[in-house]
Amino acid sequence: QVQPVESGGGSVQAGGSLRLSCAASGPTFSSRCMGWFRQTPGKEREGVTVLDGYGKITYADSVKGRFTISRDNAKETLYLQMNNLKPEDTAMYYCAVSRSCHSGVCCNARSLLDFDYRGRGTQVTVSS
């Protein structure tokens, strides 16, 4: 069983940075597909980025060049470094970890939304 716990959200001005963390200890942490998605009230959830068990990374077009996902296997923690934040990045950010997917076609921004293990989220608010 994996229980992700997010932290690091907050309020920043446009152009600022935040680093989100997701503590997600559990067996085979380093080999699982995992990532971040976000949701704003009234809008659909959006897969932001995924990282597979081999280190392959995919980003949504909306965050390419600004966000960076990384994983510290020793700490069993997933990170999301967010730079040059924009007001449209305002959302609740969730960490998601797959129970059974490690890489390949099952590891993508759409599948991320249905992963078995998800945290309660951390709020990011970007003001203009």
Side-chain angles (χ1 to χ4, degrees), residues 8 11-12 16 30 32-33 37 43-44 49 55 60 62 71 76 78 81 87-88 93 103 112 118 125-126 128:
S11 297
V12 296
S30 63
R32 296 173 187 260
C33 179
F37 68 92
K43 294 186 178 180
E44 292 188 356
T49 178
S62 57
R71 177 171 58 207
E76 294 183 312
L78 184 70
Q81 177 67 43
E88 50 264 43
Y93 283 73
S103 64
L112 173 72
R118 286 168 282 178
T125 303
V126 185
S128 58

Side-chain angles (χ1 to χ4, degrees), residues 9-10 12 18 20 82 85 89-93 122-126:
V12 296
L18 284 173
L20 306 184
M82 305 185 294
L85 282 161
D89 295 318
T90 295
M92 185 73 80
Y93 283 73
T122 185
Q123 178 67 38
V124 172
T125 303
V126 185

Side-chain angles (χ1 to χ4, degrees), residues 4 47 54 67 69 84 91 95 109 114 121 126:
Y54 293 104
F67 289 13
I69 189 172
N84 190 22
C95 169
D114 298 320
V126 185

Side-chain angles (χ1 to χ4, degrees), residues 24-103:
S25 61
T28 64
F29 169 83
S30 63
S31 67
R32 296 173 187 260
C33 179
M34 56 188 69
W36 296 88
F37 68 92
R38 62 189 181 186
Q39 186 167 25
T40 303
K43 294 186 178 180
E44 292 188 356
R45 294 174 299 169
E46 177 189 15
V48 174
T49 178
V50 288
L51 169 63
D52 78 4
Y54 293 104
K56 180 182 176 182
I57 296 171
T58 303
Y59 294 102
D61 288 341
S62 57
V63 305
K64 280 182 181 176
R66 300 188 298 121
F67 289 13
T68 303
I69 189 172
S70 63
R71 177 171 58 207
D72 186 327
N73 294 329
K75 295 182 178 180
E76 294 183 312
T77 302
L78 184 70
Y79 300 99
L80 182 64
Q81 177 67 43
M82 305 185 294
N83 298 328
N84 190 22
L85 282 161
K86 304 176 180 180
E88 50 264 43
D89 295 318
T90 295
M92 185 73 80
Y93 283 73
Y94 299 87
C95 169
V97 181
S98 175
R99 178 171 60 89
S100 58
C101 177
H102 299 276
S103 64

